Amino acid sequence: MAGKPKLYYFDGRGKMESIRWLLAAAGVEFEEEFLETREQYEKLLQDGSLLFQQVPMVEIDGMKMVQTRAILSYIAAKYHLYGKDLKERALIDMYVGGTDDLMGFILIFPFLSAEDKEKQRAFIVEKATSRYFPAYEKVLKDHGQDFLVGKNFSWADVHLLEAILMVEEKKSDVLTGFPQLQAFKARISSIPTIKKFLQPGSQRKPVPDDKYVETVRRVLCAYDDMKAN
Amino acid sequence: MSGKPKLYYFNGRGRMESIRWLLAAAGVEFEECFLETKDDLTKLQKDGSLMFQQVPMVEIDGMKMVQTRAIANYIATKYNLYGKDLKERALIDMYVEAIIDLNELLMIHIFQPADKKEQHLATIVDKATNRYFPVYEKVLKDHGQGFLVGNQFSRADVQLLETLLMAEECKPDILAKFPLLQSFKARISNIPTIKKFLQPGSQRKPPLQEKDVPKVMKIFH
């Protein structure tokens, strides 16, 4: 049955947020089922919907896809956001790998103790400004196009914008010193599908709060503290 | 310039091992440049060879590729180990990503502090035998082919074999309850390129020993 993709996750960002961004960027409408209770999760487990007992899970094109990267690659390829050939795909994969690592540091942030949060915030900003942003600033400068790879909008652009906005939430002036990234941010934000997703009322999720953390812990029965990087 | 891919990493498995397996499975000869000291890494970082200042890095087809997944995706596609269409690629990606998750656990085991090692091993065995292996056992049963996806050898088969062997190094009888994984292991190990890679003298790396851990830590920290 064709129909819209359906996303199974908590009502919050986590690992599903990059998938929401990519579907939105591609102009694809999607539905969401939010996990609020342990019972919902156990039902999904029992009916065999979660191949490795984990979410994210996305019902798409007759498949119950799991594994965030697999889902993202499928969507990118299907909606022509994965470059025009193998070499462009290689670049996109490299760039997405970097933004994925950077967003990984932010992913665990809500689950840290208050003390570790401060350490992690500093860590995120340090890595963003000394490792990741310089790399993408250089790509944009050397490549001299509107987009990171080739001449077309791709998954790499969506993912980088997502990462930039997330780091800015931790330090609002973090793009100081990165003029290419500032221009990139403005440019990609004004692409119609992205602009729509950035408006209130879209399916974009807000910064995770204590309620989100509580929900995840309750549903997954995962009460151990995470460690900062 | 040889034209062979050149791998930059320390002389051990780590994140580069899956790439060695994939190249070997594809029958592609490759060269290696081993980082022995922190200076070796710093030199690569300073000359701009490492986009995010990290290894693995592989020089291939005029690119200095970084990010393990990107490198593996490129090799798998180039050498026809990535399925025949988008749907097969989706399945391969799902299977491979989970294997990567299990590999992460296996990879960090040697770096656990002494008082956490036993518990970590228990976690590995639990995840392997309750979460991951049952899935692949069922895939093999339901799919009924020699390979995990479609009718041909793919990167999913290579990476699963790699992981099965590493899991057995942790616990030799870990496959006891998984007859199809056992026959899969035998079957894939017999593929000529794989068989060659499994023989002594190949570029396959041994597991890291306790005594080598400080040296590796010095390079990266």
Side-chain angles (χ1 to χ4, degrees):
Chain A
M1 164 131 108
K4 298 179 191 174
K6 189 166 178 183
L7 279 47
Y8 292 75
Y9 202 65
F10 317 102
D11 185 5
R13 289 184 182 176
K15 285 185 192 262
M16 189 62 98
E17 192 71 352
S18 295
I19 293 168
R20 296 182 185 108
W21 269 88
L22 197 53
L23 285 168
V28 176
E29 285 182 26
F30 56 93
E31 291 170 1
E32 302 196 72
E33 179 159 318
F34 297 125
L35 301 187
E36 305 273 332
T37 67
R38 176 91 193 153
E39 288 69 36
Q40 274 173 291
Y41 175 59
E42 281 178 357
K43 184 167 178 300
L44 282 175
L45 288 175
Q46 268 142 36
D47 64 25
S49 294
L50 307 179
L51 189 60
F52 300 105
Q53 301 155 15
Q54 298 164 313
V55 286
M57 188 271 277
V58 175
E59 281 174 352
I60 184 168
D61 297 338
M63 299 181 285
K64 287 180 157 66
M65 284 199 74
V66 295
Q67 295 293 333
T68 313
R69 226 32 195 278
I71 298 164
L72 287 166
S73 295
Y74 182 78
I75 294 166
K78 184 177 177 186
Y79 295 104
H80 308 294
L81 291 169
Y82 218 159
K84 69 180 195 326
D85 58 27
L86 186 52
K87 284 261 172 122
E88 286 196 355
R89 236 173 65 200
L91 288 174
I92 289 168
D93 278 342
M94 277 199 283
Y95 301 162
V96 160
T99 41
D100 201 40
D101 286 346
L102 177 55
M103 286 198 278
F105 305 137
I106 302 174
L107 199 71
I108 62 171
F109 188 86
F111 296 90
L112 301 174
S113 66
E115 188 194 326
D116 277 352
K117 272 186 169 121
E118 279 323 294
K119 275 200 287 194
Q120 190 72 356
R121 185 190 307 269
F123 178 84
I124 289 163
V125 170
E126 204 262 325
K127 281 280 179 287
T129 53
S130 67
R131 173 172 289 184
Y132 295 102
F133 289 175
Y136 297 106
E137 182 82 3
K138 184 177 194 298
V139 167
L140 288 167
K141 184 154 184 266
D142 294 350
H143 187 52
Q145 300 286 329
D146 281 354
F147 307 109
L148 282 167
V149 177
K151 293 190 158 64
N152 297 311
F153 184 45
S154 79
W155 172 20
D157 302 303
V158 183
H159 217 240
L160 177 58
L161 178 62
E162 182 189 357
I164 286 171
L165 296 181
M166 281 176 75
V167 179
E168 280 186 326
E169 283 164 354
K170 296 285 172 270
K171 188 171 190 287
S172 57
D173 64 349
V174 75
L175 284 190
T176 309
F178 299 104
Q180 298 280 341
L181 288 177
Q182 291 175 36
F184 173 87
K185 175 189 158 192
R187 214 160 50 235
I188 305 302
S189 299
S190 62
I191 290 172
T193 50
I194 300 285
K195 191 170 180 174
K196 191 169 167 200
F197 189 62
L198 289 172
Q199 270 155 11
S202 81
Q203 283 160 299
R204 186 183 180 210
K205 301 296 175 272
V207 180
D209 57 13
D210 287 337
K211 180 167 179 282
Y212 169 74
V213 171
E214 202 355 77
T215 303
V216 173
R217 288 201 157 130
R218 182 177 66 244
V219 170
L220 297 183
C221 288
Y223 294 99
D224 294 331
D225 281 327
M226 294 241 181
K227 278 195 287 257
N229 281 98
Chain B
M1 169 131 104
S2 72
K4 291 184 195 172
K6 190 164 182 184
L7 279 47
Y8 291 75
Y9 204 62
F10 74 92
N11 188 359
R13 288 181 180 176
R15 293 184 187 281
M16 190 62 99
E17 192 71 352
S18 298
I19 293 168
R20 296 181 185 108
W21 269 88
L22 210 49
L23 286 167
V28 176
E29 286 182 25
F30 58 92
E31 291 172 0
E32 301 197 72
C33 180
F34 296 124
L35 309 184
E36 303 275 331
T37 65
K38 192 156 176 70
D39 284 348
D40 291 340
L41 178 60
T42 307
K43 185 166 172 298
L44 278 179
Q45 288 168 334
K46 288 214 166 101
D47 68 24
S49 294
L50 309 178
M51 182 173 178
F52 304 110
Q53 298 153 23
Q54 297 165 314
V55 285
M57 189 270 277
V58 175
E59 280 174 353
I60 183 167
D61 297 338
M63 299 181 286
K64 286 179 155 67
M65 285 199 75
V66 296
Q67 290 289 326
T68 315
R69 276 185 182 86
I71 298 164
N73 286 357
Y74 183 79
I75 294 166
T77 307
K78 184 176 176 186
Y79 296 103
N80 293 314
L81 291 170
Y82 219 158
K84 69 179 194 325
D85 58 28
L86 189 51
K87 284 262 172 120
E88 285 197 354
R89 234 173 67 197
L91 285 174
I92 289 169
D93 278 342
M94 280 197 279
Y95 299 160
V96 161
E97 283 296 312
I99 290 167
I100 289 172
D101 286 347
L102 180 55
N103 273 358
E104 287 278 322
L105 280 178
L106 290 162
M107 199 176 15
I108 64 174
H109 182 59
I110 194 84
F111 297 98
Q112 298 304 300
D115 61 343
K116 295 237 158 76
K117 268 212 161 79
E118 200 177 317
Q119 194 193 5
H120 195 252
L121 182 61
T123 302
I124 289 172
V125 173
D126 174 51
K127 286 258 157 36
T129 55
N130 290 320
R131 173 171 289 182
Y132 297 108
F133 291 173
V135 172
Y136 299 106
E137 183 82 3
K138 183 177 194 295
V139 166
L140 289 169
K141 183 159 186 256
D142 294 349
H143 188 52
Q145 300 286 330
F147 306 108
L148 282 168
V149 177
N151 284 332
Q152 55 184 20
F153 185 47
S154 81
R155 119 188 228 200
D157 304 302
V158 181
Q159 298 212 228
L160 179 58
L161 175 63
E162 178 191 358
T163 300
L164 293 178
L165 294 179
M166 285 204 293
E168 281 185 325
E169 283 166 357
C170 275
K171 189 174 187 290
D173 64 348
I174 203 170
L175 290 187
K177 296 193 176 123
F178 303 102
L180 294 179
L181 287 178
Q182 290 175 38
S183 53
F184 172 87
K185 175 190 148 193
R187 203 163 58 242
I188 305 302
S189 298
N190 247 337
I191 290 172
T193 50
I194 301 284
K195 191 168 182 175
K196 191 172 167 195
F197 189 61
L198 290 173
Q199 271 155 9
S202 82
Q203 283 161 296
R204 187 183 180 212
K205 302 294 173 272
L208 207 55
Q209 304 294 310
E210 291 270 0
K211 63 179 173 62
D212 297 318
V213 168
K215 182 181 169 190
V216 174
M217 298 287 273
K218 274 213 197 88
I219 301 173
F220 293 106
H221 293 279

